[in-house]
Amino acid sequence: MTDRLAALAALEQKILWLASWTIHNANHLRENADGLKVGGHQASSASLATIMTALYFAVLRPEDRVAVKPHASPNFHAIQYLLGNQTREKLENFRGFKGAQSYPSRTKDVDDVDFSTGSVGLGVAQTLFSSLAQDYVRAHGWGLERPEGRMVALIGDAEMDEGNIYEALIEGWKHGLRNTWWVVDYNRQSLDAVVREGLWERFEAMFRNFGWDVVILKYGKLLEAAFAEPGGEALRRWIDTCPNQLYAALCYQGGAAWRKRLEDDIGDQGAVTALIGRRSDAELARLMTNLAGHDLPSLLEAFEGIDHDRPVCFIAYTIKGFGLPFQGHKDNHAGLMTPAQMEAFRAAMSVRPGHEWDRFEGLSVPAKTLEAFLKDVPFAARGRRRYEGAKLPIPDRLAVPMQPAMSTQQGFGLILNEIARGKEPFAERIVTCSPDVTVSTNLGAFVNRRGLFAREALADTFKQERIPSTFTWDFSPKGQHIELGIAEMNLFILLSALGLTHSIHGERLLPVGTLYDPFIQRGLDALNYACYQDARFMLVATPSGVTLAPEGGAHQSIATPLIGMAQDGLAAFEPAFVDELAAIMRFGFDYMQRDGEGDPDEETWLRDETGGSVYLRLSTRTLDQPQRTMDEALASDVINGAYWLRRPGANAGVVIAYMGATASEAIAAAGLLAESHRDVGVLAVTSSDRLNAGWTAAERARQRGHDQATSHVERLLGGLTRDCGLVTVVDGHPATLAWLGAVHGHRVKSLGVEHFGQTGTVGDLYRHHGIDANAILHAAQAIMGARPVRYLRALA
Ligand SMILES: Cc1ncc(C[n+]2csc(CCOP(=O)(O)OP(=O)(O)O)c2C)c(N)n1
Ligand SMILES: [Mg+2]
């Protein structure tokens, strides 16, 4: 064995030990019904120990980025511990509060995790889109001083069931994917089950179909050598036809069981009998479990043999729980070694009690040699691998050509068009993308000016043929729009990749993604994933609600305002007017770039220095625009979530609070009410999300001793008398604004939409769902009790 192989083999052993010990030692595992600790995924982690050894200690370069299968997190932490990037304290606190995370986390772990994983399938697609993002950045001439990296995913074989992987595969093919490696940990076991026979053949055919190189890593060097012995062919035939279940069971049972089974099946064939007979039980078990995914020489040969930048899928045969007492057992997913098994394992690993965390304890290669080897590991040669892209200044004001009546969706297109026309440096860094709804979400003007991105230029045939069209679709490496197919999952994972280029590729982009609002729900887990990784983007969802009336059906969204409020890492806005939108977008482009750590703002109690992503819920409804100047005070209120469109008088009996396109109804109702009731107030809510977050944050601050902490919404509603009622209205779920009553204990009637699917005009549907001016009047009447309201019509 070469020195390099010997060192790698020793490190592999150490990873297996450290990962198993980390899990065994953790105090945060579930207990099953029998009171035994389970969880921690020792088997799942062990399955990848050899592959990760080969990659991290030999093959990977600092510029490469990896998404590690969630349950291999203990291996990852062990590797980083050996490289000096993870602390013993955090490993001892694995799965504990602020300890090493159960699944690798970019934001919560300290050891240089490239891509978070946890919800299976998403990390896989993230590597593909990160590679496209890398191509985008480099094609624009940025970051060329740094070497191109490979984006690598380590994937569970059952993880390959996730549909988003296939959606990504199609998109990757369209965009000429490069520099992407997917390594499938083909242990033929999932959580509950053993996988179907022959699955690898389907994978192979499919990946080849999409232009990938496919490398099947089936047999290790020991088995290959045995196949070359007399009788070896019969042995190979036996393994090739051995069902997955039986193979797994024999791995679990060990040498004697292998011998009995092989002798029963092929033992009367002379040469092969001798081949088996020459080996002890232990040697036979080692031979029969020598799959390529556990064979360092085979892995190194395969990884180091790739001499092109086309995407590669490695299907690596492995054994779940390899090297551990429950290897191959179908129940091993959440299995944990018993204390007795752990003691036996400790003895086998030559680890003395009290020396469990010693980096080189029990290894046959001298510590000094390993120390020197680790110092030279290429992957770790440049230290921490995170970058910080420079922050781009955003102008104080975004221009918007106002028209007397317009919709927020139209305004969005116009604002982006002005940005595209201008010469501000931040405009260069905007990259838009959309899942086949570029034109219908009003991105068209921006795309016309800034072009579509492709690594190779392609002119618009319609333009060349002089066929009149509103849109010019020229593709070039300098284009600033990435056109996607319809799959929304891909939009969010692309946003996740584009929104991390400052950290992953050292160059900041300002991604803007558009889609129809209801289809957020199609990609919701990917959106959540993007936010969890702290990717930064602006999501523009339009049209929304039942306001797109005649389209009806599944195009109407109800839950999205609540998603906007509940989604961590995403500041949600729903402006009614275009001047508000301009202020919000200006704030958004800045907010996307913040990464401060400071205390909350003492005005709003929002933690704005940390920044985040932005979600704009827009509408196609044309509204009369207010004639006003968006001064600093108003802009700040808009960004903080609300302002008085009509300030209530001292004795207001009712305040109408609206969000988004229902502004016209609120304004109309207030006008009618005013004839019989003085002092009616109208509260324009631009972000129920930020308004609510500031309120709860201020309450927390008070509990921590900041007695004077007051949030924006508390100040706004603070002047109302106790018996003033609130009527809230939104084209979305009524719960979005219903909480306003709890701020100072005012009674509330909250109007909104609870059912969807009916077509009609806006008037029909607002009446039907009870969010029109008349419904607001009814609610106001109900809340004010005896004082009759004029102009009331029967409810629809
Ligand atoms: C989206 C999602 N669904 C379900 C789970 C729960 N889960 C975690 S791992 C797993 C199966 C693991 O099988 P495989 O991918 O083959 O990995 P192995 O443990 O065999 O290495 C499941 C169902 C999850 N983490 N994410
Ligand atoms: Mg598996």
Side-chain angles (χ1 to χ4, degrees):
M1 208 190 298
T2 64
D3 289 352
R4 182 193 191 213
L5 263 183
L8 287 172
L11 292 171
E12 179 198 1
Q13 179 182 333
K14 190 42 60 181
I15 290 168
L16 187 63
W17 164 261
L18 280 173
S20 304
W21 178 253
T22 300
I23 297 164
H24 180 82
N25 181 63
N27 291 318
H28 306 281
L29 303 171
R30 280 178 292 126
E31 287 188 2
N32 70 10
D34 302 325
L36 284 175
K37 280 184 176 178
V38 296
H41 312 107
Q42 279 176 331
S44 196
S45 201
S47 186
L48 263 177
T50 329
I51 291 172
M52 289 176 74
T53 303
L55 285 172
Y56 280 94
F57 292 127
V59 178
L60 293 177
R61 298 293 175 269
E63 58 272 21
D64 298 333
R65 296 288 181 273
V66 192
V68 176
K69 177 186 86 169
H71 293 155
S73 147
N75 289 344
F76 177 79
H77 295 313
I79 288 167
Q80 295 290 14
Y81 177 68
L82 290 175
L83 290 170
N85 301 328
Q86 178 58 286
T87 65
R88 170 173 167 180
E89 188 194 355
K90 292 221 184 259
L91 291 186
E92 284 183 325
N93 194 18
F94 177 60
R95 292 179 150 231
F97 185 58
K98 305 217 166 170
Q101 300 289 298
S102 40
Y103 307 123
S105 169
R106 267 186 75 76
T107 51
K108 303 284 186 292
D109 275 316
V110 294
D111 49 356
D112 208 12
V113 171
D114 294 327
F115 301 120
S116 301
T117 56
S119 177
V120 298
L122 300 178
V124 181
Q126 173 81 32
T127 58
L128 181 151
F129 286 107
S130 266
S131 178
L132 296 183
Q134 174 174 257
D135 278 345
Y136 181 93
V137 165
R138 297 176 75 86
H140 286 76
W142 302 316
L144 295 175
E145 68 283 7
R146 286 182 284 272
E148 220 165 58
R150 274 178 171 140
M151 305 295 130
V152 182
L154 308 179
I155 314 173
D157 46 1
E159 185 168 11
M160 291 294 295
D161 287 342
E162 290 289 357
N164 81 276
I165 294 178
Y166 303 93
E167 296 178 7
L169 206 54
I170 295 173
E171 209 59 59
W173 175 78
K174 292 188 214 164
H175 292 274
L177 180 69
R178 309 179 308 137
N179 296 316
T180 305
W181 282 10
W182 286 359
V183 185
V184 181
D185 175 7
Y186 196 53
N187 60 25
R188 290 145 290 129
Q189 280 187 258
S190 62
L191 201 159
D192 291 337
V194 174
V195 307
R196 293 280 183 282
E197 304 300 330
L199 187 59
W200 66 273
E201 287 171 294
R202 322 293 129 192
F203 290 156
E204 183 184 19
M206 183 183 61
F207 277 99
R208 288 207 198 286
N209 229 339
F210 283 107
W212 289 51
D213 191 0
V214 179
V215 179
I216 311 280
L217 287 157
K218 189 164 184 184
Y219 298 120
K221 298 289 177 199
L222 283 181
L223 271 173
E224 294 286 5
F227 295 156
E229 290 176 30
E233 263 315 304
L235 184 68
R236 181 202 286 272
R237 262 198 312 281
W238 184 89
I239 299 196
D240 278 343
T241 52
C242 178
N244 289 336
Q245 287 247 20
L246 175 62
Y247 183 83
L250 290 170
C251 286
Y252 173 68
Q253 290 169 304
W258 279 114
R259 185 178 309 281
K260 177 160 186 337
R261 186 73 202 202
L262 286 170
E263 281 174 356
D264 286 354
D265 285 0
I266 50 174
D268 53 353
Q269 298 178 18
V272 73
T273 312
L275 190 160
I276 298 163
R278 279 197 291 281
R279 284 156 171 96
S280 70
D281 280 0
E283 284 167 346
L284 189 59
R286 186 137 54 89
L287 174 69
M288 296 305 290
T289 56
N290 176 240
L291 300 182
H294 296 299
D295 190 70
L296 284 167
S298 307
L299 290 169
L300 292 173
E301 199 175 284
F303 291 139
E304 289 172 345
I306 301 297
D307 58 0
H308 56 78
D309 67 1
R310 281 191 301 123
V312 188
C313 176
F314 299 90
I315 299 175
Y317 278 71
T318 53
I319 295 164
K320 190 153 167 174
F322 183 72
L324 305 180
F326 42 48
Q327 70 174 8
H329 197 293
K330 69 181 171 59
D331 301 343
N332 66 10
H333 186 81
L336 196 65
M337 278 187 263
T338 62
Q341 284 174 328
M342 198 64 204
E343 277 313 304
F345 185 55
R346 175 210 293 284
M349 295 273 133
S350 312
V351 173
R352 290 164 295 164
H355 293 265
E356 292 86 355
W357 298 108
D358 293 4
R359 286 158 81 228
F360 307 119
E361 171 78 0
L363 302 179
S364 55
V365 178
K368 250 172 73 193
T369 314
L370 290 174
E371 200 74 79
F373 182 88
L374 286 173
K375 247 184 43 230
D376 283 344
V377 161
F379 177 71
R382 291 210 293 270
R384 199 171 144 85
R385 295 146 51 259
R386 288 210 181 168
Y387 300 113
E388 280 165 31
K391 210 174 156 204
L392 306 155
I394 307 299
D396 289 341
R397 187 170 284 273
L398 297 184
V400 47
M402 288 297 289
Q403 295 164 16
M406 61 204 300
S407 71
T408 46
Q409 172 170 322
Q410 196 184 350
F412 164 70
L414 292 170
I415 292 168
L416 269 192
N417 184 40
E418 289 300 314
I419 294 174
R421 253 160 41 108
K423 296 205 163 29
E424 294 283 350
F426 87 102
E428 299 297 315
R429 298 285 177 143
I430 291 181
V431 48
T432 58
C433 50
S434 184
D436 207 23
V437 290
T438 299
V439 173
S440 46
T441 55
N442 274 35
L443 265 184
F446 179 88
V447 177
N448 274 350
R449 289 192 188 278
R450 296 275 171 160
L452 289 101
F453 171 71
R455 272 192 303 118
E456 270 143 44
L458 182 71
D460 187 336
T461 308
F462 275 69
K463 192 169 87 180
Q464 284 176 331
E465 296 291 324
R466 297 177 194 283
I467 302 172
S469 160
T470 323
F471 299 102
T472 316
W473 289 65
D474 284 329
F475 290 81
S476 84
K478 294 282 172 271
Q480 283 181 246
H481 173 76
I482 299 178
E483 183 64 11
L484 293 172
I486 306 172
E488 283 77 13
M489 274 284 184
N490 284 339
L491 170 74
F492 290 117
I493 306 179
L494 176 62
L495 287 174
S496 178
L498 295 171
L500 281 174
T501 54
H502 54 283
S503 176
I504 303 276
H505 310 292
E507 297 291 334
R508 189 181 294 280
L509 297 176
L510 296 171
V512 177
T514 68
L515 85 170
Y516 295 173
D517 192 56
F519 304 130
I520 284 181
Q521 291 164 150
R522 173 70 76 104
L524 191 51
D525 197 28
L527 170 61
N528 182 55
Y529 175 67
C531 292
Y532 174 56
Q533 302 214 75
D534 204 22
R536 299 304 178 83
F537 50 87
M538 186 180 284
L539 178 64
V540 181
T542 183
S544 60
V546 295
T547 302
L548 62 123
E551 287 225 30
H555 283 62
Q556 298 171 343
S557 58
I558 294 177
T560 47
L562 296 178
I563 290 171
M565 290 177 81
Q567 181 59 57
D568 191 11
L570 192 68
F573 294 89
E574 186 170 347
F577 303 114
V578 173
D579 59 353
E580 299 166 358
L581 175 65
I584 291 167
M585 285 178 69
R586 198 218 77 80
F587 166 79
F589 283 126
D590 186 72
Y591 185 72
M592 283 156 67
Q593 305 186 62
R594 298 182 191 174
D595 61 358
E597 295 243 317
D599 291 329
D601 177 285
E602 304 240 332
E603 272 288 296
T604 62
W605 296 90
L606 292 166
R607 296 179 51 94
D608 277 354
E609 317 71 14
T610 54
S613 286
V614 179
Y615 160 34
L616 311 179
R617 188 177 191 252
L618 305 185
S619 172
T620 41
R621 187 167 193 212
T622 301
L623 293 182
D624 291 336
Q625 300 292 309
Q627 305 292 310
R628 62 184 174 191
T629 324
M630 179 61 60
D631 59 26
E632 229 171 272
L634 179 56
S636 143
D637 282 355
V638 163
I639 285 152
N640 294 334
Y643 64 93
W644 287 114
L645 187 71
R646 177 177 174 149
R647 202 169 280 281
N651 293 310
V654 69
V655 156
I656 303 168
Y658 73 86
M659 188 162 78
T662 53
S664 58
E665 307 305 309
I667 293 165
L672 295 173
L673 265 176
E675 295 193 18
S676 49
H677 294 72
R678 292 189 317 150
D679 294 352
V680 174
V682 178
L683 185 70
V685 178
T686 45
S687 171
S688 57
D689 178 24
R690 287 171 58 81
L691 211 52
N692 182 269
W695 174 49
T696 49
E699 178 57 32
R700 259 197 310 278
R702 288 193 288 269
Q703 288 173 17
R704 289 185 185 143
H706 295 275
D707 300 345
Q708 303 306 312
T710 311
S711 62
H712 187 53
V713 69
E714 286 166 320
R715 273 193 303 276
L716 284 167
L717 300 183
L720 303 179
T721 58
R722 275 211 69 79
D723 27 302
C724 177
L726 300 178
V727 177
T728 68
V729 59
V730 58
D731 180 3
H733 196 274
T736 308
L737 293 177
W739 59 273
L740 283 174
V743 174
H744 288 304
H746 293 111
R747 281 165 304 141
V748 172
K749 295 282 174 205
S750 55
L751 309 179
V753 179
E754 290 166 289
H755 307 286
F756 72 99
Q758 180 59 268
T759 53
T761 63
V762 171
D764 293 337
L765 294 185
Y766 277 22
R767 197 160 47 246
H768 177 67
H769 292 289
I771 55 172
D772 62 350
N774 187 46
I776 295 171
L777 291 182
H778 271 277
Q781 160 87 63
I783 216 162
M784 290 189 295
R787 303 171 64 194
V789 163
R790 268 192 248 166
Y791 304 108
L792 222 46
R793 285 179 282 113
L795 281 174

